[in-house]
Amino acid sequence: MELSASKTPRIEVVDALRGFAVMAIILVHNLEHFIFPVYPAEQPAWLTVLNDGVFNVIFSLFAGKAYAIFALLFGFTFYIQCHNQEKKGKDFGYRFLWRLVLLLGFATLNAAFFPAGDVLLLFAVVGLVLFLVRKWSDKVILVTAIILLIQPIEWFHYIMSLFNPAHTLPDLGVGAMYGEVAEYTKAGNFRDFIWGNITLGQKASLYWAIGAGRFLQTAGLFLLGLYIGRKELFVTTESHLRFWVKVLIIAAICFAPLYSLKEQIMAGDNALIKQTAGTAFDMWQKFAFTFVLVSSFVILYQKECFKKAVSALRFYGKMSLTNYITQSIMGAIIYFPFGLYLAPYCGYTASLLIGFALFLLQVSFCKWWLARHKQGPLESIWHKWTWMFANK
């Protein structure tokens, strides 16, 4: 694709890494039946063992990490957009606010088919932090990211519980909302399903993100992605590769003790400690493993054999919005009662195979589409509407 001199050239590894994240998301979502936990009632013993193995491997590798990579690259993309406009003497900030409003529309479209699990709404809301910090110094942005990633709200509640044993967390009613979502989903009425998802489902998704520590972690990841962009750490140089090697070593060393501490806390009987300190350690161990994945991917991408093996991910990553939303639509048709209703017949192994099949189908479409267009269909709409009414 030809680029004007005023634009920052695309960085291949970022497209491939984004494609990797969306691929991982579609595999996790298929195992979850897109937040519709209905599975076969009876299975052979060997298949039960296989399903348990598939679940443990996929969730250990990708759950909570794929979304984190997606969030990191959201902040990085914001840097690219800001940088391109700064070279023209313009402030991208207010245009970005309009872009977030458009993202709310895409989030609503996705949520219509994805009960109580849309990350795009979270990105649209938390994305405001990028507007606020866009003119801050690199050092302040990094420090702020670290503070957010520490999970200060969880630690506040934990400390309060030490002084006051009667201290409790706010009851956001997430369990009751998810129960209602499950009821109308099982009923199979398409109109109720769509309306419930874009109203109650979206509310449940946001409230769950608050309780799970996702709000502050997402904000921290956005800022970290912005910082990485400013430091050009995805640009291939010897010093940057050494940086990613150091990140890999540190993240790998930190992961094991963080995971062990999280497991010990979660094995305890105190619910409040599990919901506060446990949540923080869970976020930290997932953060560490996320950077094991990111740094490993960046380092391996310098090898031609690896780059060739994952070349399809570049196409997939360039159409991440289109792929993310269409996977929800296809998943709903496959698993939910208003569609084929295959959920009761698909254990984790079968669901993983369906996920791979959907991924390969999307990759084929991406290659076909990008051979004829510069952007994916939804990416093109987002870009055109972002710049509507702009002075050319």
Side-chain angles (χ1 to χ4, degrees), residues 103-133:
L103 186 58
L104 286 173
F106 290 118
T108 302
L109 172 62
N110 187 67
F113 296 90
F114 191 3
D118 181 47
V119 76
L120 298 182
L121 176 63
L122 177 64
F123 280 21
V125 174
V126 180
L128 291 171
V129 72
L130 289 170
F131 170 81
L132 297 174
V133 308

Side-chain angles (χ1 to χ4, degrees), residues 170-186:
D171 183 7
L172 301 178
V174 174
M177 285 187 281
Y178 273 128
E180 191 173 338
V181 169
E183 287 181 8
Y184 68 66
T185 301
K186 289 179 182 178

Side-chain angles (χ1 to χ4, degrees), residues 32 51 100 116 118 136 160 168 173 189 212 232 276 278 301 312 323 371:
E32 295 177 320
N51 283 335
L100 291 180
D118 181 47
W136 291 7
M160 288 296 295
T168 59
N189 183 291
E232 300 183 336
T276 54
Y301 201 79
N323 290 325

Side-chain angles (χ1 to χ4, degrees), residues 160-161 163-168 272:
M160 288 296 295
S161 71
F163 290 99
N164 178 16
H167 181 76
T168 59
L272 189 140

Side-chain angles (χ1 to χ4, degrees), residues 361-374:
L361 179 64
Q362 287 185 316
V363 167
S364 297
F365 175 74
C366 290
K367 290 182 176 180
W368 176 83
W369 183 272
L370 291 174
R372 294 160 177 80
H373 307 275
K374 292 183 178 180

Side-chain angles (χ1 to χ4, degrees), residues 35-68:
I35 321 297
F36 184 55
V38 175
Y39 298 93
E42 297 182 1
Q43 301 176 103
W46 66 268
L47 185 54
T48 299
V49 173
L50 179 59
N51 283 335
D52 289 343
V54 166
F55 177 87
N56 290 331
V57 169
I58 296 300
F59 268 70
S60 296
L61 286 175
F62 301 136
K65 295 91 173 178
Y67 121 85

